[in-house]
Amino acid sequence: MSETDDANRTDARTGVQDDGAPRVGLERWGIPYPLRWGFVGVLIFMIGDGVETSFLSSFLASPSGGGLDGTQASFATVTLYGVAALIASWFSGTLSAIWGPRRVMWLGAGIWIVFEILFLFVAIPAGSAPLIITVYAVRGLAYPLFAFAFLVWVQTIARPQMRGSAAGWFWFAFTGGLPTLGAAVAAICVGPLGISEYGTLVLSLVVVAVGAAIGCFAVTEPQGLQPIADETVAHPRSLRRLTEGIDILWRDKRTIAGFFVRLVNTAPQYGFFAMFPFVFGPDTPGGGFLTTAEVAVLATVTYAANIGANLFFGVFGDHFGWRRTVTVFGCLGCAVAVPLWYFVAIASQDFLVTAVLGAVYGIVLAGFVPLSALMPSMVSPKDKGAALAILNTGAGGAALLGPLTVTAFFPLFGGAGVVIAYCVMYLVVAGVSLVIRSEIDPEVARRVPAGSTATG
């Protein structure tokens, strides 16, 4: 092999092998080898972050948790926290573009640990509602900065032909922790182990600290400390780039389309489990056909199916095509699965049938995984951070859109109206997704004539 041929196999800036080089070890499974410990760190971090999801609101409303009323607890844990997460989702991409994703992960980890310490050892013991709400809301900035900055890192160094697989592994780690294993840890601690809710929250702080240490210090891949913007961009580390990245929304309309697809993607996921106790569970007028425990198991089954499917569709998208996978399995698949799940469950009044259809929804929901590979691949290197910032903002916005849809439609049209609204959303973004194209999308790349080049 000549020196020229050997040089062509490796990206001079990132050290990432191109698709002409053989994949070995973890690379065969779609995990960029230099980032292997980062996936472990994200999984553990999100387990700790997800511990509180099943009981925090009720805990804050109890005397030992600060004595907030129900409205205050909901405002802190849903509204303000969701807004903070939405803001941080944007900055996870833009800050990665100017500082490098590793530094953004440090920032997210630091915010989580510092403000959780204040939350647990200052705000809650003081019993001050304003302090509890403020500290917890600021902590909402943390997990998107840590986790989504790592997604930026993954998409920055992953070889083009494995970006879908790498995205699948990221979402496997993310959703494996939040809420799946996080909720399981909480159930075990508060249940069989008999640990108090406050003690369980202290344990979550320890778990997050372990995950943060692994993600921030065990991964030493050098590109993580470099700005994503290439050498053609003046002052790539300048804070002015925080606003400069916004103009991509009108320079490249594909990014707007990607934002709306990601916004709808998991919105029903957040809305359903806020609504299900009132349509399936014991809070249903006249009594539902599921117990509180069965509603919780239903969520576990759905998320468990989604976790495994994330890996499958990540790899599948690298062969079938990223955009095509998102449109066919993500958008159209969910448009079918959502009404099927709800209306058949209501008709059957059977837990097993409901759980199976929930698993179907969890599986097709993973069809959106290749969107994380598609968005940064369709823009120039200097815009990758901005594209991922838009994608991450859509992810944060989904946590608001889902419950908001329930709030708007449920009082007027009941559960059926909410489900139809979600179905229409999926059909709309199916059409929108058709414009999200990249030259290195496997669907397109196979049609590129030999000898032509593609960027991304």
Side-chain angles (χ1 to χ4, degrees), residues 141-199:
L141 298 170
Y143 87 81
L145 292 174
F146 182 86
F148 293 158
F150 182 69
L151 176 60
V152 174
W153 200 353
V154 169
Q155 291 300 318
T156 299
I157 79 158
R159 290 187 290 183
Q161 284 68 31
M162 61 180 285
R163 286 177 183 168
S165 304
W169 279 106
F170 169 81
W171 290 110
F172 174 86
F174 185 95
T175 57
L178 175 68
T180 312
L181 293 179
V185 169
I188 293 171
C189 289
V190 177
L193 296 183
I195 300 175
S196 68
E197 292 177 333
Y198 183 84

Coordinates of all heavy atoms in Angstrom, one line a residue, residues 141-199:
L141 N -30.9 22.6 33.4 CA -30.0 22.8 32.3 C -29.0 21.7 32.1 O -28.3 21.7 31.0 CB -29.2 24.1 32.6 CG -30.0 25.4 32.7 CD1 -29.1 26.5 33.3 CD2 -30.6 25.8 31.4
A142 N -28.8 20.9 33.1 CA -27.6 20.0 33.2 C -27.6 18.8 32.2 O -26.7 18.6 31.4 CB -27.4 19.5 34.6
Y143 N -28.7 18.0 32.2 CA -28.6 16.8 31.5 C -28.5 17.0 30.0 O -27.8 16.2 29.3 CB -29.7 15.8 31.9 CG -31.0 16.0 31.1 CD1 -31.2 15.4 29.8 CD2 -32.1 16.6 31.6 CE1 -32.4 15.5 29.1 CE2 -33.3 16.8 30.9 CZ -33.4 16.2 29.7 OH -34.6 16.4 29.0
P144 N -29.2 18.0 29.4 CA -29.0 18.2 27.9 C -27.6 18.6 27.6 O -27.0 18.2 26.5 CB -30.0 19.3 27.6 CG -31.0 19.2 28.6 CD -30.3 18.9 29.9
L145 N -27.0 19.4 28.4 CA -25.6 19.8 28.2 C -24.7 18.6 28.2 O -23.8 18.5 27.3 CB -25.1 20.9 29.2 CG -25.8 22.3 29.1 CD1 -25.4 23.1 30.2 CD2 -25.5 22.9 27.8
F146 N -24.8 17.8 29.2 CA -24.0 16.6 29.3 C -24.2 15.6 28.2 O -23.3 15.2 27.4 CB -24.1 15.9 30.6 CG -23.3 14.7 30.9 CD1 -22.0 14.9 31.4 CD2 -23.7 13.4 30.6 CE1 -21.1 13.8 31.6 CE2 -22.9 12.3 30.8 CZ -21.6 12.5 31.3
A147 N -25.5 15.1 28.1 CA -25.8 14.0 27.1 C -25.8 14.5 25.7 O -25.2 13.8 24.8 CB -27.2 13.5 27.5
F148 N -26.4 15.6 25.4 CA -26.5 16.0 24.0 C -25.2 16.5 23.4 O -24.9 16.4 22.2 CB -27.6 17.0 23.8 CG -29.0 16.5 24.0 CD1 -30.0 17.3 24.3 CD2 -29.3 15.1 23.9 CE1 -31.3 16.9 24.5 CE2 -30.5 14.6 24.1 CZ -31.6 15.5 24.4
A149 N -24.3 17.0 24.3 CA -23.0 17.4 23.9 C -22.2 16.1 23.5 O -21.4 16.1 22.5 CB -22.2 18.1 24.9
F150 N -22.5 15.0 24.2 CA -21.8 13.8 23.8 C -22.3 13.3 22.4 O -21.6 12.7 21.6 CB -22.0 12.7 24.8 CG -21.3 11.4 24.5 CD1 -19.9 11.3 24.5 CD2 -22.1 10.3 24.2 CE1 -19.3 10.1 24.2 CE2 -21.4 9.1 23.8 CZ -20.0 9.0 23.9
L151 N -23.6 13.5 22.2 CA -24.2 13.1 20.9 C -23.5 13.9 19.8 O -23.2 13.4 18.7 CB -25.7 13.4 20.8 CG -26.4 13.2 19.5 CD1 -26.2 11.7 19.0 CD2 -27.9 13.6 19.6
V152 N -23.2 15.2 20.0 CA -22.5 16.0 19.1 C -21.1 15.4 18.8 O -20.6 15.3 17.7 CB -22.3 17.5 19.6 CG1 -21.4 18.3 18.6 CG2 -23.7 18.1 19.7
W153 N -20.4 15.0 19.9 CA -19.1 14.4 19.8 C -19.1 13.2 19.0 O -18.3 12.9 18.1 CB -18.6 14.1 21.2 CG -17.1 13.9 21.4 CD1 -16.2 13.9 20.5 CD2 -16.4 13.8 22.7 NE1 -14.9 13.7 21.0 CE2 -15.1 13.7 22.4 CE3 -16.9 13.8 24.0 CZ2 -14.1 13.5 23.4 CZ3 -15.9 13.7 25.0 CH2 -14.6 13.5 24.7
V154 N -20.1 12.3 19.2 CA -20.3 11.1 18.5 C -20.4 11.4 17.0 O -19.7 10.7 16.2 CB -21.5 10.3 19.0 CG1 -21.9 9.1 18.1 CG2 -21.3 9.8 20.4
Q155 N -21.3 12.3 16.6 CA -21.5 12.6 15.2 C -20.4 13.3 14.6 O -20.3 13.3 13.4 CB -22.8 13.4 15.1 CG -24.1 12.6 15.4 CD -24.3 11.3 14.5 OE1 -24.0 11.4 13.3 NE2 -24.6 10.2 15.1
T156 N -19.5 13.9 15.4 CA -18.4 14.6 14.9 C -17.3 13.7 14.4 O -16.6 13.9 13.4 CB -17.8 15.6 15.9 OG1 -18.8 16.6 16.2 CG2 -16.6 16.3 15.4
I157 N -17.1 12.6 15.2 CA -15.9 11.7 14.8 C -16.4 10.4 14.2 O -15.5 9.7 13.7 CB -15.1 11.4 16.1 CG1 -15.7 10.4 17.0 CG2 -14.7 12.7 16.8 CD1 -14.7 9.7 17.9
A158 N -17.6 10.0 14.3 CA -18.1 8.8 13.7 C -17.9 8.8 12.1 O -18.1 9.8 11.5 CB -19.5 8.5 14.0
R159 N -17.5 7.7 11.6 CA -17.4 7.6 10.1 C -18.8 7.7 9.5 O -19.8 7.3 10.1 CB -16.8 6.2 9.7 CG -15.3 6.1 10.1 CD -14.7 4.9 9.5 NE -15.2 3.7 10.2 CZ -14.8 2.4 10.0 NH1 -13.9 2.2 9.0 NH2 -15.3 1.4 10.6
P160 N -18.9 8.4 8.4 CA -20.2 8.6 7.8 C -21.1 7.4 7.7 O -22.3 7.4 8.0 CB -19.9 9.2 6.4 CG -18.6 9.9 6.6 CD -17.8 9.0 7.6
Q161 N -20.5 6.2 7.3 CA -21.2 5.0 7.1 C -21.7 4.4 8.4 O -22.4 3.4 8.3 CB -20.5 4.1 6.2 CG -20.5 4.4 4.7 CD -19.7 5.7 4.5 OE1 -18.7 6.0 5.1 NE2 -20.1 6.4 3.4
M162 N -21.3 4.9 9.5 CA -21.7 4.3 10.8 C -22.4 5.3 11.7 O -22.6 5.0 12.9 CB -20.5 3.7 11.5 CG -19.4 4.7 11.9 SD -18.0 3.9 12.8 CE -18.7 3.7 14.4
R163 N -22.7 6.5 11.2 CA -23.4 7.5 12.0 C -24.7 7.1 12.5 O -25.1 7.4 13.6 CB -23.5 8.8 11.3 CG -22.1 9.5 11.1 CD -22.2 10.8 10.3 NE -20.9 11.4 10.2 CZ -20.6 12.3 9.3 NH1 -21.5 12.9 8.6 NH2 -19.3 12.8 9.2
G164 N -25.5 6.3 11.7 CA -26.8 5.8 12.2 C -26.6 4.8 13.3 O -27.3 4.9 14.3
S165 N -25.7 3.9 13.2 CA -25.4 2.9 14.2 C -24.9 3.6 15.5 O -25.4 3.3 16.6 CB -24.3 1.9 13.8 OG -24.7 1.3 12.6
A166 N -24.0 4.6 15.4 CA -23.6 5.3 16.5 C -24.7 6.1 17.2 O -24.7 6.1 18.5 CB -22.4 6.3 16.1
A167 N -25.6 6.7 16.5 CA -26.8 7.3 17.0 C -27.6 6.3 17.8 O -28.2 6.6 18.9 CB -27.6 8.1 16.0
G168 N -27.8 5.1 17.2 CA -28.6 4.1 17.9 C -28.0 3.8 19.3 O -28.7 3.6 20.2
W169 N -26.7 3.6 19.3 CA -26.0 3.4 20.6 C -26.2 4.5 21.6 O -26.4 4.3 22.8 CB -24.5 3.1 20.4 CG -24.3 1.7 20.0 CD1 -23.9 1.2 18.7 CD2 -24.4 0.5 20.8 NE1 -23.8 -0.1 18.7 CE2 -24.1 -0.6 19.9 CE3 -24.7 0.2 22.1 CZ2 -24.1 -1.9 20.4 CZ3 -24.7 -1.1 22.6 CH2 -24.4 -2.1 21.7
F170 N -26.1 5.8 21.1 CA -26.4 6.9 22.0 C -27.8 6.8 22.6 O -27.9 7.0 23.8 CB -26.2 8.2 21.3 CG -26.7 9.4 22.1 CD1 -25.8 9.9 23.1 CD2 -27.9 9.9 21.9 CE1 -26.3 11.0 23.9 CE2 -28.4 11.0 22.7 CZ -27.5 11.5 23.7
W171 N -28.8 6.6 21.8 CA -30.1 6.6 22.3 C -30.4 5.4 23.1 O -31.3 5.4 24.0 CB -31.2 6.8 21.2 CG -31.1 8.2 20.6 CD1 -30.7 8.5 19.3 CD2 -31.5 9.4 21.2 NE1 -30.8 9.9 19.2 CE2 -31.3 10.4 20.3 CE3 -32.0 9.7 22.5 CZ2 -31.6 11.8 20.7 CZ3 -32.3 11.0 22.8 CH2 -32.1 12.0 21.9
F172 N -29.7 4.3 22.9 CA -29.8 3.1 23.7 C -29.3 3.5 25.1 O -30.0 3.1 26.1 CB -28.9 2.0 23.1 CG -28.8 0.8 24.0 CD1 -29.7 -0.2 24.0 CD2 -27.7 0.6 24.9 CE1 -29.6 -1.3 24.8 CE2 -27.6 -0.5 25.7 CZ -28.6 -1.5 25.6
A173 N -28.2 4.2 25.2 CA -27.6 4.6 26.5 C -28.6 5.6 27.2 O -28.8 5.5 28.4 CB -26.2 5.2 26.4
F174 N -29.0 6.6 26.4 CA -29.8 7.7 27.0 C -31.2 7.1 27.5 O -31.5 7.4 28.7 CB -30.1 8.7 25.9 CG -30.8 9.9 26.4 CD1 -30.1 11.1 26.8 CD2 -32.2 10.0 26.4 CE1 -30.8 12.2 27.2 CE2 -32.9 11.1 26.9 CZ -32.2 12.2 27.3
T175 N -31.9 6.4 26.7 CA -33.2 6.0 27.1 C -33.1 4.7 28.1 O -34.0 4.5 28.9 CB -34.1 5.6 26.0 OG1 -33.5 4.6 25.1 CG2 -34.4 6.8 25.1
G176 N -32.0 4.0 28.0 CA -31.7 3.0 28.9 C -31.6 3.5 30.3 O -32.1 2.9 31.3
G177 N -31.1 4.7 30.5 CA -31.0 5.3 31.8 C -32.2 6.1 32.2 O -32.8 5.9 33.3
L178 N -32.7 7.0 31.3 CA -33.9 7.8 31.5 C -35.0 7.4 30.6 O -34.8 7.6 29.4 CB -33.5 9.3 31.3 CG -34.7 10.3 31.4 CD1 -35.2 10.4 32.9 CD2 -34.2 11.7 30.9
P179 N -36.1 6.9 31.0 CA -36.4 6.6 32.4 C -36.2 5.2 32.9 O -36.4 4.8 34.0 CB -37.8 7.0 32.5 CG -38.4 6.5 31.2 CD -37.2 6.7 30.2
T180 N -35.8 4.3 32.0 CA -36.0 2.8 32.2 C -35.2 2.3 33.4 O -35.9 2.0 34.4 CB -35.5 2.1 31.0 OG1 -36.1 2.7 29.8 CG2 -35.9 0.6 31.0
L181 N -33.9 2.3 33.4 CA -33.2 1.8 34.6 C -33.2 2.8 35.8 O -33.2 2.3 36.9 CB -31.7 1.5 34.2 CG -31.5 0.4 33.2 CD1 -30.0 0.2 32.9 CD2 -32.1 -0.9 33.8
G182 N -33.4 4.1 35.5 CA -33.5 5.0 36.6 C -34.8 4.7 37.4 O -34.7 4.7 38.6
A183 N -35.9 4.5 36.7 CA -37.1 4.2 37.4 C -37.0 2.9 38.1 O -37.6 2.7 39.2 CB -38.3 4.2 36.4
A184 N -36.3 1.9 37.5 CA -36.1 0.6 38.2 C -35.3 0.7 39.4 O -35.7 0.1 40.5 CB -35.5 -0.4 37.2
V185 N -34.3 1.5 39.4 CA -33.5 1.8 40.6 C -34.4 2.4 41.7 O -34.3 2.0 42.9 CB -32.3 2.7 40.3 CG1 -31.6 3.1 41.6 CG2 -31.3 1.9 39.4
A186 N -35.2 3.4 41.3 CA -36.1 4.0 42.3 C -37.0 3.0 42.9 O -37.3 3.0 44.1 CB -36.8 5.1 41.7
A187 N -37.6 2.2 42.1 CA -38.6 1.2 42.5 C -38.0 0.2 43.5 O -38.6 -0.2 44.5 CB -39.2 0.4 41.4
I188 N -36.7 -0.2 43.2 CA -36.0 -1.2 44.1 C -35.7 -0.5 45.4 O -35.8 -1.1 46.5 CB -34.8 -1.7 43.4 CG1 -35.2 -2.6 42.2 CG2 -33.9 -2.5 44.4 CD1 -34.0 -3.0 41.4
C189 N -35.2 0.8 45.4 CA -34.7 1.4 46.6 C -35.9 1.8 47.5 O -35.9 1.5 48.7 CB -34.0 2.7 46.2 SG -32.4 2.5 45.5
V190 N -37.0 2.4 46.9 CA -38.1 2.8 47.7 C -38.9 1.6 48.2 O -39.5 1.6 49.2 CB -39.0 3.8 47.0 CG1 -40.2 4.2 47.8 CG2 -38.2 5.0 46.7
G191 N -38.9 0.5 47.3 CA -39.7 -0.7 47.6 C -38.9 -1.7 48.5 O -38.9 -1.6 49.7
P192 N -38.4 -2.8 47.9 CA -37.8 -3.8 48.7 C -36.7 -3.4 49.6 O -36.5 -3.9 50.7 CB -37.2 -4.8 47.6 CG -38.0 -4.5 46.4 CD -38.3 -3.0 46.4
L193 N -35.8 -2.4 49.2 CA -34.7 -2.0 50.1 C -35.2 -1.1 51.2 O -34.5 -0.8 52.2 CB -33.6 -1.3 49.3 CG -32.9 -2.2 48.2 CD1 -31.8 -1.4 47.5 CD2 -32.4 -3.4 48.9
G194 N -36.4 -0.5 51.1 CA -36.9 0.4 52.1 C -36.2 1.7 52.3 O -36.2 2.3 53.4
I195 N -35.5 2.2 51.3 CA -34.8 3.5 51.4 C -35.8 4.6 51.3 O -36.7 4.5 50.4 CB -33.7 3.6 50.4 CG1 -32.6 2.4 50.5 CG2 -33.0 4.9 50.4 CD1 -31.6 2.4 49.5
S196 N -35.6 5.6 52.0 CA -36.6 6.8 51.9 C -36.4 7.4 50.6 O -35.4 7.3 49.9 CB -36.3 7.8 53.0 OG -35.1 8.4 52.9
E197 N -37.4 8.2 50.2 CA -37.4 8.9 48.9 C -36.2 9.9 49.0 O -35.5 10.1 48.0 CB -38.7 9.6 48.7 CG -39.8 8.7 48.4 CD -41.2 9.4 48.2 OE1 -41.3 10.5 48.7 OE2 -42.0 8.8 47.5
Y198 N -36.0 10.6 50.1 CA -34.9 11.5 50.2 C -33.5 10.8 50.1 O -32.6 11.2 49.4 CB -34.9 12.2 51.6 CG -33.8 13.3 51.7 CD1 -34.0 14.6 51.2 CD2 -32.7 13.0 52.4 CE1 -33.0 15.5 51.4 CE2 -31.7 13.9 52.6 CZ -31.9 15.2 52.1 OH -30.9 16.2 52.2
G199 N -33.4 9.6 50.7 CA -32.2 8.8 50.6 C -32.0 8.3 49.2 O -30.8 8.3 48.7

